[in-house]
């Protein structure tokens, strides 16, 4: 299948940063030329931190899930462990650190499932989806170390419990849903 | 399971809009008080358009997939049909219009699978994930009507082909992955 080809690509003629608060948010206005020759001005691109999100399971197959207030959601919700990735940082190095700091769990079995873009129009951040197997408790969480403001409660849930939490609106962030699906859905790993 | 309770909620003491380009993007700085009493200033919240994303299948079980250049991704990629939802607009009304305009397909069998938040920290947009069954070709696409800048090529793909496209990096947006999983993954519909 043809993808990543240059056909259809927009030419970025200029990009003006109109708001910048590193490392959190920056906002740019691109001037682009479409393949049909049209000139589009003021096409917004939003840059948010890249991050890792982790599907971590215990030897008995339960997932590590966090219950926390998320300000983007506006209430307490369930999410998979995640954390900001520094530029050029290896996703697995980042995942090890974030999982340990947020939950106190570690693993020797890490795998990168893929890299995904949050929003196809505005971009926002990119997420490295990680799979950690056979996690075990290594110590207490150290949430302050990661700069987290949220009070995080760590839960162990079966895949069925996570699926029910998604169906009932208790897990509502796109990233958590997509990461869970990537790790657990046989369909998504068809060779 | 306890969720959506007020425990853990942050109090928003003020919210200052620092950039606004309706209906596309607005950016606010919230001043919040955490449950432990800490005052956090300049917590960014990004507002992007809410949208619908559509898992549409033909009577023989193939999915409607679009191949298009997406500027947020930076190259041609595969995505599920999606479109901006007006405030207060019914998601299914929006989905019918967007699917017809982008692909020329329609359906009499629509269902809302759920509402999801793009980013738990910054919010960004919310997505209504829709399921349309037994779609049929009603006419030609009218992409200009939706204000779309992309040249969209409509494909029909089996779930296995979509799964392979995700595994191989040909479908890279979180929303498409999550929506596909919600519609196709038996795990995610466990009662």
């Amino acid at each position: 299948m043809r993808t990543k080809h240059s056909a259809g690509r927009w030419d970025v003629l200029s990009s003006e940063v109109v708001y910048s608060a590193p490392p959190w948010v920056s906002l740019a206005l691109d001037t682009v030329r479409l393949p049909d020759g049209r000139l589009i001005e003021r096409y917004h691109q939003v840059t948010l931190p890249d991050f890792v999100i982790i599907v971590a399971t215990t030897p008995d197959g339960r997932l590590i899930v966090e219950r926390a207030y998320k300000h983007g959601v506006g209430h307490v919700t369930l999410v998979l462990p995640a954390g900001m990735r520094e530029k050029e940082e290896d996703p697995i190095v980042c995942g090890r650190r974030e999982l340990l700091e947020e939950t106190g769990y570690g693993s020797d079995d890490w795998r990168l499932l893929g890299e995904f873009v949050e929003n196809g129009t505005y971009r926002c951040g990119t997420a490295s989806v990680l799979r950690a197997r056979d996690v075990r408790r290594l110590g207490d969480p150290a949430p302050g170390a990661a700069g987290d403001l949220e009070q995080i409660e760590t839960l162990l849930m079966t895949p069925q419990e996570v699926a029910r939490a998604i169906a009932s609106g208790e897990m509502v962030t796109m990233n958590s849903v997509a990461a869970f699906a990537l790790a657990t859905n046989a369909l998504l790993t068809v060779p």
Side-chain angles (χ1 to χ4, degrees), chain A:
Chain A
M1 190 169 292
R2 297 168 298 130
T3 52
K4 298 194 182 180
H5 50 65
S6 60
R9 187 186 288 272
W10 297 357
D11 282 333
V12 180
L13 305 183
S14 67
S15 184
E16 178 198 0
V17 174
V18 291
Y19 183 88
S20 178
W24 312 113
V25 181
S26 81
L27 191 59
L29 288 176
D30 287 1
T31 298
V32 298
R33 191 178 300 282
L34 307 191
D36 63 9
R38 274 182 295 168
L39 191 72
I40 305 296
E41 294 177 310
R42 302 178 58 81
Y43 195 94
H44 288 89
Q45 291 286 277
V46 179
T47 302
L48 300 176
D50 293 335
F51 60 100
V52 298
I53 182 160
I54 305 158
V55 187
T57 47
T58 57
D60 66 353
R62 287 183 295 167
L63 288 99
I64 297 187
V65 176
E66 298 178 355
R67 180 191 277 131
Y69 173 87
K70 299 298 294 180
H71 195 48
V73 175
H75 55 72
V76 171
T77 186
L78 301 179
V79 293
L80 297 185
M84 208 169 117
R85 183 166 73 84
E86 307 292 331
K87 289 258 175 254
E88 311 302 328
E89 186 180 27
D90 180 85
I92 290 177
V93 170
C94 177
R96 281 183 194 277
R97 182 190 64 235
E98 294 291 334
L99 186 67
L100 186 63
E101 286 178 356
E102 290 188 356
T103 72
Y105 281 83
S107 169
D108 294 324
D109 182 356
W110 286 85
R111 195 158 67 90
L112 175 65
L113 297 183
E115 304 270 357
F116 297 88
V117 176
E118 283 205 281
N119 187 300
T121 301
Y122 296 96
R123 187 168 184 88
C124 300
T126 67
S128 305
V129 179
L130 297 170
R131 183 77 176 91
R133 293 175 188 273
D134 292 336
V135 298
R136 59 196 188 286
R137 187 79 188 259
L138 300 179
D140 289 329
D148 292 321
L149 303 175
E150 295 91 353
Q151 293 173 315
I152 295 171
E153 181 185 358
T154 301
L155 311 175
L156 296 178
M157 295 173 68
T158 66
Q160 290 73 22
E161 288 171 335
V162 175
R164 277 193 289 268
I166 293 170
S168 67
E170 292 171 296
M171 178 178 277
V172 296
T173 54
M174 275 287 183
N175 308 311
S176 289
V177 172
F180 172 66
L182 283 165
T184 56
N185 186 348
L187 265 182
L188 298 184
T189 55
V190 168

